[in-house]
Amino acid sequence: MQDKLSLMIPGPTPVPERVLLAMGRHPIGHRSADFQKIVKRTTQQLQWLHQTKGDVLVITGSGTAAMEAGIINVLSKGNTVLCGDNGKFGERWVKLARAYGLNVQVIQAEWGQPLDPEAFRAALEADTAKAIKAVIITHSETSTGVINDLQTIASHVKDHGTALCIADCVTSLGACNVPMEDWGIDVIGSGSQKGYMMPPGLAFVAMSDRAWEACKHSDLPKFYLDLAKYRKSAHADSNPFTPAINLYFALEAALEMMQAEGLEKIFARHARHRAAAQAGMKAIGLPLYAAEGCGSPAITAVAPEGIDAEAMRKAVKEKFDILLAGGQDHLKGKVFRIGHLGFVCDRDVLTAVAAIEATLQDLGLHKGSAGAGVAACAAALAQG
Amino acid sequence: MQDKLSLMIPGPTPVPERVLLAMGRHPIGHRSADFQKIVKRTTQQLQWLHQTKGDVLVITGSGTAAMEAGIINVLSKGNTVLCGDNGKFGERWVKLARAYGLNVQVIQAEWGQPLDPEAFRAALEADTAKAIKAVIITHSETSTGVINDLQTIASHVKDHGTALCIADCVTSLGACNVPMEDWGIDVIGSGSQKGYMMPPGLAFVAMSDRAWEACKHSDLPKFYLDLAKYRKSAHADSNPFTPAINLYFALEAALEMMQAEGLEKIFARHARHRAAAQAGMKAIGLPLYAAEGCGSPAITAVAPEGIDAEAMRKAVKEKFDILLAGGQDHLKGKVFRIGHLGFVCDRDVLTAVAAIEATLQDLGLHKGSAGAGVAACAAALAQG
């Protein structure tokens, strides 16, 4: 059958019909008063989502563009940064920082394990010369399904006194609580095809006052990603370069839906889906990849022992048209990942668990009692 | 009335219904076989449009992002570049190149005048030390409605022997002939909301073999705009970062429509619309801003003497819901611009001229015989 695809990957995530309809509207002029109204409204909505009164800027690009902008606008050549790396995205920010000639100190954890906040505390405390200009952290590590303890790490950065806290919240924003001001985060990068319930194409950078202060002294070259330009335009309800207008229509519609649901309910829904996905997988004997208690609210990585995870993933796609994510890099074939991020309801999670369980059964690999996965998933959903 | 807006600006341009419907489809996974098919097909379509067998890469971003990528991937810090500047976009590439520490020699022409190819020939011939690494040219200068003689300038660059020819074809590609290989252009930047008949959000960079050779030695920092990453992914029918998937759907649909029409007919249509817009404006006594014979096929800039161009533009919007573009920077209030780029038919141009003429009449500013503009426009359309 055509057009029955169900997206259960960590991005692009499913998009509500009203957001798709907004996408399909005819563009309007991006220098018009009508478009200014949309910029103004979406800016307020974005501030609500980020729990900040500061600037949240919109770039046409991917989440990587947002993170790059956040990094290169507040740092200068040769600056020392402390970067957490416990997965593919942590690794990416290390590479990105090095591409700009930054001096990167890496705090690593094994894939599947969370970053140790104590390691950050120690490194920051040892930096009495205040050489560290920023700490770069991936909140939800999409490649491994691990959530890092951003709140605690941010508090250590605050204690350092001068370093900025730059957070990749690409798959955490809109999935769990990320109160930017309360936690003292200076830069947050995110992307539209995640918790925003939108197609990809827009990226968001939220900046604190401290981040803007650092911005004044930044000497790394940039033009399209020059946030000072975006800020100046944003204050006039505009954009420095022609933005993806139709994605702005979608943004307004999606954020309106998020506001109607409310942050607390959104976070509770994601927590419930994490619990349900985890319970379902455990009940059918499929081990979770993320360390106990460190699962991301956006994504559950599963490491089936003795089973080709890629073959499982493909079978679920072929039989049930549910797209799960595969393992990346050395996890290819060892891990599959269930995305439960954004426009995902209880039915979607129950369905994904049922399809995975049915596939195991069909392949003769189901080791527990038939239906145990769905039963455990249903029980967890009922509790949340 | 709502939703009757007619876009007659140089971007975003009108979008066909089938392209809008493609925009509104549910996203699919960007690492799926189905998406690879779209990348493969659109790459071939883009090569057709650029008249090249070389790489044409797709970036989620604006035309500025494409130009930035094209410049920073083939040059190194301190390199000398020769940059044409006869309008807002020429000016922008000068600023961009300087932001990256390039040594920019500027060849200027007054706004409204074309760049003088002889000035480029002389500067390139004088460069016996071969210090000039690239020449940056805006083909259609959107701010003034002037088309520069890219073909002749590119031939002078070729005679230089080592400099690369980098062209901003944002409002010329898909409007007039830009045979990349035949003219020896090394880098072409363009954007989706122009001749492509799509909403904004995708940017395109076409690269020659010589450009890739230069790329190997480029030391300017980049990550999101690192074209080597895009090339590697493109050769696997993919994209290095999550692309604007729905805009890819639109791209496939729009390029299919362009291929059905054919390049020659597309170019003839734009030439006819330029002639018709120019004839209409002249017939009602509104002088053209671009020098005679140098009008862009994408846009006609009009400089009404003794009339507030911005007031005219607003009146046309209010009375007829046709959006014309205003003048930029020092041209604000002095110039309005009629976009006739992309999905524009004879009726649209006739309508725009009629609306402008009717507005003049209504304001008591029509100096010729009533209906002369529409008559002249119609005659020009009939000739093409």
Side-chain angles (χ1 to χ4, degrees):
Chain A
M1 260 184 116
Q2 282 194 310
D3 292 344
K4 282 293 275 188
L5 177 68
S6 170
L7 286 174
M8 293 295 282
I9 57 176
T13 59
V15 180
E17 188 187 28
R18 84 174 74 168
V19 177
L20 289 177
L21 290 172
M23 283 291 289
R25 279 176 52 200
H26 203 290
I28 60 175
H30 59 294
R31 302 288 176 226
S32 66
D34 285 339
F35 193 68
Q36 282 182 305
K37 278 183 210 157
I38 295 174
V39 173
K40 187 169 190 163
R41 168 120 198 261
T42 50
T43 297
Q44 289 163 349
Q45 292 170 316
L46 288 166
Q47 288 171 321
W48 165 82
L49 180 62
H50 287 75
Q51 304 181 53
T52 180
K53 288 182 285 296
D55 293 298
V56 188
L57 307 169
V58 181
I59 299 171
T60 299
S62 77
T64 297
M67 283 301 292
E68 182 167 345
I71 292 168
I72 68 175
N73 278 272
V74 299
L75 294 166
S76 292
K77 197 166 181 185
N79 276 177
T80 297
V81 297
L82 199 59
C83 191
D85 171 9
N86 62 331
K88 195 165 175 65
F89 288 91
E91 205 177 86
R92 181 176 287 183
W93 312 138
V94 172
K95 283 183 191 163
L96 194 161
R98 288 192 173 139
Y100 278 88
L102 299 175
N103 172 33
V104 187
Q105 292 179 12
V106 184
I107 291 187
Q108 276 188 312
E110 268 184 55
W111 286 40
Q113 296 297 321
L115 292 167
D116 179 10
E118 277 305 298
F120 286 85
R121 193 191 51 73
L124 288 160
E125 275 187 13
D127 179 40
T128 50
K130 305 297 176 193
I132 298 171
K133 300 303 177 198
V135 177
I136 304 171
I137 300 292
T138 301
H139 190 193
S140 165
E141 178 47 80
T142 312
S143 61
T144 63
V146 165
I147 188 97
N148 287 310
D149 185 355
L150 177 59
Q151 181 177 13
T152 302
I153 295 171
S155 74
H156 296 323
V157 180
K158 213 171 182 178
D159 292 341
H160 178 271
T162 59
L164 297 172
C165 183
I166 301 175
D168 162 2
C169 294
V170 170
T171 56
S172 65
L173 198 79
C176 59
N177 197 26
V178 189
M180 183 173 183
E181 284 182 8
D182 279 3
W183 288 4
I185 305 171
D186 296 296
V187 179
I188 288 182
S190 63
S192 60
Q193 76 280 18
K194 308 288 183 176
Y196 289 87
M197 318 194 296
M198 282 175 58
L202 291 187
F204 310 94
V205 195
M207 299 273 285
S208 73
D209 290 343
R210 292 178 71 226
W212 285 124
E213 195 52 41
C215 194
K216 287 182 195 163
H217 312 291
S218 164
D219 68 2
L220 297 174
K222 56 241 170 197
F223 195 86
Y224 182 66
L225 296 179
D226 181 351
L227 292 180
K229 291 184 170 64
Y230 286 85
R231 184 188 210 191
K232 191 180 164 198
S233 287
H235 290 186
D237 299 325
S238 189
N239 212 285
F241 309 110
T242 312
I245 293 167
N246 293 52
L247 284 162
Y248 257 103
F249 297 157
L251 178 65
E252 188 179 21
L255 288 173
E256 191 175 295
M257 287 179 72
M258 290 180 80
Q259 289 188 313
E261 186 173 3
L263 286 181
E264 283 189 22
K265 281 195 181 167
I266 292 172
F267 303 152
R269 174 164 55 80
H270 283 83
R272 184 167 73 245
H273 292 169
R274 167 176 52 194
Q278 290 183 350
M281 292 303 101
K282 283 182 185 172
I284 49 175
L286 296 183
L288 305 178
Y289 185 71
E292 184 69 32
C294 300
S296 165
I299 186 157
T300 297
V302 183
E305 283 164 9
I307 299 173
D308 179 345
E310 195 57 17
M312 274 250 4
R313 192 179 80 84
K314 283 186 178 157
V316 171
K317 172 71 176 67
E318 273 166 34
K319 287 182 67 76
F320 299 109
D321 222 349
I322 295 176
L323 188 64
L324 303 170
Q328 291 174 291
D329 293 347
H330 64 274
L331 295 187
K332 198 169 172 82
K334 292 182 184 154
V335 156
F336 68 81
R337 295 172 297 151
I338 309 167
H340 34 78
L341 175 58
F343 187 57
V344 171
C345 67
D346 289 13
R347 185 185 76 223
D348 296 321
V349 178
L350 190 70
T351 305
V353 170
I356 292 165
E357 187 166 20
T359 302
L360 267 190
Q361 196 175 312
D362 185 50
L363 296 172
L365 296 168
H366 198 304
K367 289 166 194 164
S369 60
V374 169
C377 177
L381 288 171
Q383 270 185 14
Chain B
M1 261 183 113
Q2 282 195 311
D3 293 343
K4 282 294 276 187
L5 177 67
S6 170
L7 286 174
M8 294 294 282
I9 58 176
T13 59
V15 180
E17 188 188 29
R18 84 173 74 168
V19 177
L20 290 176
L21 289 173
M23 283 291 289
R25 279 175 52 201
H26 202 290
I28 60 175
H30 59 294
R31 303 286 176 227
S32 67
D34 285 340
F35 193 68
Q36 283 183 305
K37 278 183 210 156
I38 295 173
V39 173
K40 187 170 189 164
R41 169 123 198 258
T42 49
T43 298
Q44 289 163 350
Q45 291 170 317
L46 288 166
Q47 289 171 321
W48 166 81
L49 179 62
H50 287 76
Q51 304 182 53
T52 179
K53 288 181 286 295
D55 293 298
V56 188
L57 306 169
V58 181
I59 299 170
T60 298
S62 77
T64 296
M67 283 301 291
E68 182 166 343
I71 291 168
I72 69 175
N73 278 273
V74 299
L75 294 165
S76 292
K77 196 164 182 185
N79 276 177
T80 297
V81 297
L82 199 59
C83 191
D85 171 9
N86 62 330
K88 194 163 175 66
F89 287 90
E91 206 175 86
R92 180 175 288 184
W93 312 139
V94 172
K95 283 183 192 163
L96 194 161
R98 288 190 174 141
Y100 277 88
L102 299 175
N103 172 33
V104 188
Q105 292 180 11
V106 184
I107 292 186
Q108 275 188 312
E110 268 185 54
W111 286 40
Q113 296 297 321
L115 292 168
D116 179 10
E118 277 305 298
F120 286 85
R121 192 190 52 73
L124 288 160
E125 274 188 12
D127 180 40
T128 50
K130 306 298 176 191
I132 298 171
K133 300 301 177 198
V135 176
I136 304 170
I137 298 294
T138 301
H139 190 193
S140 165
E141 180 45 82
T142 312
S143 62
T144 62
V146 165
I147 187 98
N148 287 310
D149 185 354
L150 177 59
Q151 181 177 12
T152 303
I153 296 170
S155 75
H156 295 324
V157 180
K158 211 169 184 177
D159 291 342
H160 177 273
T162 61
L164 296 173
C165 182
I166 301 175
D168 162 1
C169 295
V170 170
T171 56
S172 64
L173 198 78
C176 59
N177 197 27
V178 189
M180 183 172 181
E181 283 181 9
D182 279 5
W183 288 3
I185 305 171
D186 296 296
V187 179
I188 287 182
S190 63
S192 60
Q193 76 280 17
K194 307 289 183 175
Y196 289 88
M197 317 195 295
M198 283 175 59
L202 291 186
F204 309 94
V205 195
M207 300 273 284
S208 73
D209 289 344
R210 291 178 71 225
W212 285 124
E213 195 52 40
C215 195
K216 288 183 195 164
H217 312 292
S218 164
D219 68 2
L220 296 174
K222 57 240 168 195
F223 195 85
Y224 183 66
L225 296 179
D226 181 351
L227 292 181
K229 290 183 172 64
Y230 286 85
R231 185 190 210 191
K232 192 181 163 199
S233 287
H235 290 186
D237 299 325
S238 190
N239 213 286
F241 309 110
T242 311
I245 294 167
N246 292 52
L247 283 162
Y248 257 103
F249 297 156
L251 179 65
E252 188 179 20
L255 288 172
E256 190 176 296
M257 287 179 72
M258 291 180 80
Q259 289 188 312
E261 186 174 3
L263 286 181
E264 282 188 23
K265 281 195 181 167
I266 292 172
F267 301 153
R269 173 164 58 80
H270 283 84
R272 182 167 76 245
H273 293 170
R274 166 175 54 195
Q278 290 184 349
M281 293 303 101
K282 283 182 185 172
I284 49 177
L286 296 183
L288 305 179
Y289 184 71
E292 184 71 31
C294 300
S296 164
I299 186 155
T300 297
V302 183
E305 284 166 8
I307 299 174
D308 179 345
E310 196 55 18
M312 273 250 4
R313 192 180 80 85
K314 282 185 178 159
V316 171
K317 171 70 176 66
E318 273 166 33
K319 287 180 67 75
F320 299 110
D321 221 350
I322 295 176
L323 188 65
L324 303 170
Q328 292 174 291
D329 293 346
H330 64 275
L331 294 187
K332 198 169 173 81
K334 292 182 183 154
V335 156
F336 67 82
R337 295 172 296 151
I338 309 167
H340 34 76
L341 175 58
F343 187 56
V344 171
C345 68
D346 288 14
R347 185 185 77 222
D348 296 321
V349 178
L350 191 71
T351 305
V353 169
I356 292 165
E357 187 165 21
T359 302
L360 267 190
Q361 195 175 313
D362 185 50
L363 296 172
L365 296 168
H366 199 302
K367 289 166 191 162
S369 59
V374 170
C377 177
L381 288 172
Q383 271 185 14

